[in-house]
């Protein structure tokens, strides 16, 4: 009872204090870096393992550095794995910044990276004055298997490709099949509806996107909107909204739309020797999904006739207006006539879907390893995924529940194996 009282008292302080957070000595803690798409899943894990009090979320202003705290039930999966003797406080630091590459390379090389510093936050939600601290990530989350982020097209700026030994030092677990979608601004959405004579969700083909984003076109097709719009819109600038190199979303798009060369780069990209920003094509690279959404929305605000296309995780949805920001105008389209719903991917009908991974160093031990193993086990748990709300639950499915798989290699097509 004494341990339980201390933990609950500490949690009360964490949730209500108006000064810096201090985690009590001995609090089970885990540092996780990488894929932002897996952050809602980790939050769901906290929600299903916590007591009725739920969990607390603290972030920096950008929302890409996160601290989760909860009083975890000793009888829960997380509580059992951690060997809790009573309902106890646990903490998890999650770094979304930089995307999936940070869920692989810094983990393998045991390199300290920035995480939210708990002493710089004082209230749940966003903290404008939050700062960071350097910590070696103990668990990595990535939208694809680690080897994909060693390819030149996916190697994050400032990173060195891992050696074979470094890759072999990782313990990798596949957890979920997750889907991505092609998103367009409203102007293009309406133009596609008109071109396809439909009032429903329009569609683009993989070939059309490949032709649009790859210089020189595909099979002689011109690099213009006309290929999507039955010859209309040829004179309009091609606006592409994409993530930066190192993003799992970008790596997935790379595999589907440009497997043999790097997709168009923005002028600001450090490895863009021949930027694709011109009167014909303009590329916006963003370090977050929010930046891609903003770029798509901006094409609408620029006026009718301005078209934009990009790719984001299907767990996202257009946001309603707030006091400081107008409503999103971007929308998902179907791909080759098929919706991005994970139910379609799970039977091999939707190709823009990949199996994400959790990765930790083979030398990880003690409480961090037990904590990591519990997170991985719960990410595979259909009961946890069932607690996600739409659109999250339509974008992810435990691999055990999917009939289709890439068998651990994202170069493989989704193939039904059961």
């Amino acid at each position: 009872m004494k341990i339980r009282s201390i933990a609950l008292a500490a949690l009360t302080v964490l949730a209500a204090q108006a000064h810096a957070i201090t985690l009590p000595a001995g609090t089970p803690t885990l540092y996780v870096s990488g894929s932002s798409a897996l952050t809602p899943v980790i939050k769901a894990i906290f929600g299903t393992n916590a007591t009725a009090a739920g969990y607390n979320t603290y972030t920096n202003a950008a929302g890409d550095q996160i601290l989760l705290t909860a009083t975890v039930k000793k009888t829960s999966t997380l509580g059992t794995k951690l060997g809790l003797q009573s309902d106890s406080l646990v903490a998890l630091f999650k770094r979304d910044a930089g995307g999936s590459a940070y869920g692989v390379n810094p983990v393998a090389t045991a390199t300290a990276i920035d995480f939210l510093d708990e002493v710089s936050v004082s209230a749940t939600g966003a903290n404008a004055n939050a700062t960071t601290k350097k910590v070696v990530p103990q668990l990595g989350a990535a939208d694809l298997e680690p080897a994909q982020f060693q390819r030149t097209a996916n190697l994050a700026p400032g990173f060195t490709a891992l050696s074979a030994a470094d890759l072999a030092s990782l313990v990798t677990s596949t957890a979920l099949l997750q889907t991505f979608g092609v998103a367009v601004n409203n102007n293009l959405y309406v133009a596609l509806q008109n071109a396809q004579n439909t009032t429903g969700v329009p569609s683009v083909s993989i070939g059309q996107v490949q032709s649009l984003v790859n210089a020189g076109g595909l099979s002689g097709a011109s690099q213009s909107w006309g290929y999507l719009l039955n010859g209309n819109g040829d004179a309009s600038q091609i606006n592409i909204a994409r993530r930066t190199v190192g993003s799992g979303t970008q790596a997935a798009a790379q595999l589907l739309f440009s497997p043999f060369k790097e997709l168009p780069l923005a002028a600001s990209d450090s490895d863009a020797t021949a930027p694709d920003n011109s009167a014909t094509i303009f590329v916006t690279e963003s370090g977050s999904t929010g930046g891609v959404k903003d770029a798509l929305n901006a094409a609408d605000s620029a006026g009718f006739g301005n078209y934009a296309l990009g790719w984001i995780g299907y767990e996202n949805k257009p946001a309603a207006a707030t006091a400081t920001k107008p409503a999103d105008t971007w929308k998902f389209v179907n791909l080759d006539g098929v919706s991005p719903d994970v139910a379609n991917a799970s039977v091999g009908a939707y190709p823009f879907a990949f199996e994400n991974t959790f990765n930790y160093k083979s030398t990880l031990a003690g409480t961090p390893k037990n904590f990591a193993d519990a997170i991985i086990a719960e990410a595979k748990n259909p009961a946890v995924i069932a607690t996600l709300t739409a659109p999250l639950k339509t974008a992810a499915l435990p691999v055990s529940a999917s009939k289709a798989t890439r068998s651990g290699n994202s170069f493989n097509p989704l193939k039904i194996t059961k």
Side-chain angles (χ1 to χ4, degrees):
M1 288 301 294
K2 181 178 180 182
I3 295 176
R4 182 175 186 274
S5 297
I6 292 172
L8 290 178
L11 185 59
T12 299
V13 171
L14 284 170
Q17 65 185 341
H19 51 81
I21 290 174
T22 301
L23 295 173
T27 301
T29 303
L30 185 68
Y31 289 86
V32 186
S33 57
S35 170
S36 61
L38 283 166
T39 299
V41 175
I42 293 173
K43 289 181 177 179
I45 292 170
F46 262 57
T48 55
N49 283 263
T51 62
Y55 64 91
N56 297 311
T57 304
Y58 308 84
T59 76
N60 61 351
D64 57 7
Q65 293 281 6
I66 304 159
L67 166 62
L68 303 176
T69 65
T71 297
V72 166
K73 294 175 288 188
K74 70 172 184 177
T75 55
S76 68
T77 299
L78 188 50
T80 302
K81 287 277 189 180
L82 290 172
L84 300 181
Q85 299 302 303
S86 63
D87 297 348
S88 303
L89 176 68
V90 303
L92 184 147
F93 291 82
K94 175 63 171 67
R95 175 196 166 116
D96 288 352
S100 290
Y102 281 81
V104 178
N105 290 41
V107 179
T109 58
T111 300
I113 57 176
D114 289 334
F115 281 92
L116 186 68
D117 190 345
E118 69 274 15
V119 302
S120 69
V121 299
S122 58
T124 55
N127 288 259
N129 297 318
T131 59
T132 58
K133 60 183 180 180
K134 295 286 187 181
V135 182
V136 174
Q138 297 159 318
L139 178 64
D143 292 336
L144 307 171
E145 70 274 15
Q148 289 295 335
F149 297 95
Q150 313 316 308
R151 298 176 59 210
T152 300
N154 299 330
L155 190 64
F159 280 22
T160 300
L162 295 177
S163 67
D166 284 335
L167 278 172
S169 75
L170 291 174
V171 176
T172 296
S173 301
T174 301
L176 299 166
L177 176 69
Q178 69 179 74
T179 58
F180 303 85
V182 174
V184 301
N185 69 323
N186 189 63
N187 289 340
L188 181 54
Y189 191 88
V190 172
L192 286 167
Q193 285 181 314
N194 292 336
Q196 295 168 23
N197 193 27
T198 181
T199 57
V201 179
S203 181
V204 296
S205 70
I206 293 175
Q208 286 174 324
V209 177
Q210 287 176 330
S211 181
L212 193 69
V213 302
N214 287 286
L218 181 72
S219 301
S222 61
Q223 191 177 17
S224 75
W225 294 115
Y227 193 40
L228 281 72
L229 301 174
N230 298 332
N232 296 314
D234 281 348
S236 297
Q237 176 177 279
I238 297 172
N239 296 298
I240 302 298
R242 53 160 281 181
R243 293 287 304 280
T244 51
V245 176
S247 155
T249 301
Q250 186 57 32
Q254 184 75 45
L255 283 167
L256 192 65
F257 301 127
S258 189
F260 303 115
K261 67 175 183 176
E262 188 163 8
L263 284 165
L265 299 166
S268 61
D269 196 310
S270 61
D271 61 349
T273 54
D276 281 305
N277 290 355
S278 66
T280 303
I281 183 168
F282 190 89
V283 181
T284 302
E285 289 186 349
S286 300
S288 68
T289 298
V292 175
K293 297 175 186 176
D294 288 343
L296 294 173
N297 292 332
D300 280 326
S301 63
F304 183 79
N306 291 281
Y307 302 139
L309 177 147
W311 33 83
I312 56 180
Y314 192 55
E315 73 276 5
N316 294 277
K317 67 178 180 180
T322 67
T324 58
K325 191 173 183 180
D328 283 342
T329 55
W330 65 269
K331 297 177 176 69
F332 283 112
V333 294
N334 293 338
L335 189 61
D336 285 323
V338 182
S339 161
D341 193 298
V342 72
N344 295 323
S346 71
V347 293
Y350 182 78
F352 202 2
F354 294 86
E355 293 149 324
N356 56 36
T357 61
F358 283 102
N359 310 284
Y360 62 70
K361 195 82 168 171
S362 58
T363 52
L364 191 68
T367 295
K369 181 180 185 301
N370 293 337
F371 204 155
D373 285 339
I375 293 295
I376 295 168
E378 287 289 74
K380 299 178 181 181
N381 184 351
V384 171
I385 302 306
T387 68
L388 295 171
T389 57
L392 297 173
K393 67 173 14 176
T394 60
L397 186 72
V399 290
S400 61
S402 176
K403 294 182 179 180
T405 179
R406 294 185 186 274
S407 301
N409 186 343
S410 294
F411 281 115
N412 293 334
L414 271 175
K415 184 178 180 181
I416 295 178
T417 58
K418 56 184 175 183

